């Protein structure tokens, strides 16, 4: 006899953020690095955070140097680790949105343009727009990838049907290379507005 009992996943999980700093003397744990989660400053390394389950973007900034963004899919009732390395400029390709969306007009397309510099177009397998749907489930949409002189550009129109009852949602972008390297933008909030309210508002960037 098999008896099944429904299980409800806890609404939150623990995100553990740690960073190391490398210099000529080697690497050591970094204390005091500014931690940004979903585009907001939330504390300094080392840091443990209780957050709602689901994806969260994380980055660490120290003395003007920013580590590449990571997106961690946090399970309820469990923990995940976000580990960062800073020092020597933390160079390498970065996925950057040309202009962050703040408002999406209800009467016309809202284009998204993202650049991944320092990568050959042939080495990019796919680029995606990830959007939280009205029911809370994240959906993804493939960007059209264009070859550029110094990297690649991905373009897509923001999907109009992904807003909740208040006209809000969240989104981020990702790019995957043939070698398995993945790059992300930070998770950002966006609001659907009527045509008369669609004048763009400048986004406030994190440090």
């Amino acid at each position: 006899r098999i008896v099944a009992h429904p299980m409800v996943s806890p609404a939150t999980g623990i995100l553990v953020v740690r960073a190391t700093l490398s210099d000529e003397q080697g690497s050591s744990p970094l204390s005091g690095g500014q931690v940004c989660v979903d585009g907001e400053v939330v504390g300094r390394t080392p840091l443990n955070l209780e957050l709602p389950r689901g994806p969260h973007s994380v980055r660490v900034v120290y003395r003007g140097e920013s580590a590449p963004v990571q997106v961690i899919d946090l399970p309820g009732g469990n923990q995940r680790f976000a580990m960062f390395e800073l020092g020597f400029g933390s160079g390498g390709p970065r996925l950057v949105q040309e202009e962050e969306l703040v408002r999406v007009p209800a009467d016309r397309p809202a284009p998204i343009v993202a650049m991944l510099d320092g990568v050959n177009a042939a080495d990019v397998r796919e680029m995606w727009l990830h959007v939280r749907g009205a029911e809370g489930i994240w959906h993804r949409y493939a960007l059209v990838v264009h070859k550029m002189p110094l990297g690649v550009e991905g373009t897509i129109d923001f999907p109009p049907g992904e807003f909740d009852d208040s006209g809000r949602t969240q989104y981020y972008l990702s790019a995957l290379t043939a070698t398995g390297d993945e790059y992300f933008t930070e998770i950002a909030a966006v609001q659907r507005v009527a045509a008369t309210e669609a004048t763009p508002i400048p986004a406030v960037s994190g440090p």
Side-chain angles (χ1 to χ4, degrees):
R1 183 183 180 187
I2 298 176
V3 179
H5 297 281
M7 292 183 62
V8 178
S9 176
T12 62
I14 302 297
L15 180 63
V16 180
V17 185
R18 300 290 186 268
T20 58
L21 182 65
S22 299
D23 56 24
E24 292 78 4
Q25 281 71 48
S27 297
S28 58
L30 173 61
S31 295
Q34 192 176 69
V35 179
C36 301
V37 173
D38 300 340
E40 302 288 338
V41 177
V42 296
R44 295 185 178 275
T45 58
L47 187 64
N48 292 4
L49 292 167
E50 183 175 2
L51 298 170
R53 67 172 179 258
H56 295 278
S57 63
V58 193
R59 68 184 176 102
V60 172
V61 182
Y62 185 69
R63 294 180 179 175
E65 180 183 341
S66 178
V69 175
Q70 297 183 28
V71 172
I72 306 294
D73 196 358
L74 186 64
N78 211 323
Q79 67 178 13
R80 289 290 184 268
F81 291 84
M83 310 296 293
F84 295 90
E85 295 182 5
L86 290 97
F88 302 111
S90 294
R94 299 290 176 101
L95 181 61
V96 179
Q97 189 175 343
E98 187 174 89
E99 184 177 347
E100 182 181 326
L101 285 183
V102 177
R103 294 182 173 184
V104 171
D107 65 331
R108 60 182 185 271
I112 288 177
V113 180
M115 297 291 300
L116 182 62
D117 293 333
V119 175
N120 265 327
D123 294 333
V124 176
R125 287 176 53 187
E126 52 201 34
M127 297 178 73
W128 296 96
L129 167 66
H130 305 256
V131 185
R132 181 174 55 80
E135 73 286 5
I137 298 174
W138 285 78
H139 305 141
R140 67 177 190 171
Y141 300 86
L143 276 70
V144 178
V145 179
H146 310 273
K147 183 178 180 180
M148 303 297 287
L150 300 176
V152 297
E153 177 185 87
T155 59
I156 191 173
D157 287 339
F158 197 90
E162 295 287 18
F163 295 90
D164 62 19
D165 292 339
S166 65
R168 300 175 185 272
T169 191
Q170 293 176 299
Y171 75 98
Y172 66 96
L173 299 161
S174 69
L176 179 66
T177 69
T179 56
D181 294 319
E182 199 162 10
Y183 304 93
F184 302 95
T185 63
E186 291 187 277
I187 293 177
V190 64
Q191 173 78 50
R192 183 180 56 195
V193 296
T196 56
E197 303 176 73
T199 302
I201 294 179
V204 178
S205 303

